[in-house]
Amino acid sequence: LPPYEVLPAEVSMEELPRSTTVLLEDPPVPPRDHLVWSIFTTLYGNFCCLGLLALVFSVKSRDRKVLGDYSGARSYGSTAKYLNITAWVINIIIVIIVVTVIALITAGVLSSMNN
């Protein structure tokens, strides 16, 4: 069935009232691409190239956002976010391990000098 009603033959279009309906919607909120965070992760916390991968996904997210593909931008942005988080957690663990090893070595050297 057609989505409209067929006008009877005796009714003309000029006799009908004319109206226009305009639907106003708020524009969707653009998703975050985490580009700045990915740049800092690439420069300062690039463990196993996770920062570089985050940067690549952030750029892809920004490209999708410019094209208006918000679902693709959201997906790439989410991936960049999780890569950034993973890189920073691994870097914090590495810093803790390095500081602990240096402290233990320093304590061992100082104790051997006292004996």
Side-chain angles (χ1 to χ4, degrees):
L1 294 174
Y4 54 87
E5 295 180 23
V6 179
L7 290 176
E10 61 272 357
V11 177
S12 69
M13 289 297 293
E14 287 76 27
E15 297 173 2
L16 294 176
R18 296 174 190 246
S19 65
T20 303
T21 303
V22 178
L23 297 175
L24 297 176
E25 294 182 1
D26 291 333
V29 177
R32 297 186 61 183
D33 54 18
H34 307 288
L35 184 64
V36 175
W37 188 13
S38 296
I39 289 171
F40 282 117
T41 305
T42 301
L43 294 176
Y44 299 113
N46 200 12
F47 178 76
C48 289
C49 296
L50 289 177
L52 184 63
L53 283 173
L55 182 63
V56 168
F57 278 99
S58 293
V59 171
K60 284 183 176 187
S61 175
R62 178 151 298 185
D63 290 344
R64 292 281 113 197
K65 186 168 47 172
V66 168
L67 292 175
D69 179 15
Y70 288 150
S71 64
R74 190 172 297 111
S75 174
Y76 284 131
S78 175
T79 303
K81 175 183 171 184
Y82 290 124
L83 286 171
N84 282 320
I85 291 171
T86 304
W88 278 106
V89 166
I90 290 172
N91 283 318
I92 289 170
I93 291 171
I94 288 173
V95 166
I96 290 171
I97 290 171
V98 168
V99 167
T100 304
V101 168
I102 290 174
L104 290 174
I105 290 172
T106 305
V109 168
L110 290 178
S111 68
S112 68
M113 292 174 109
N114 291 334
N115 293 334

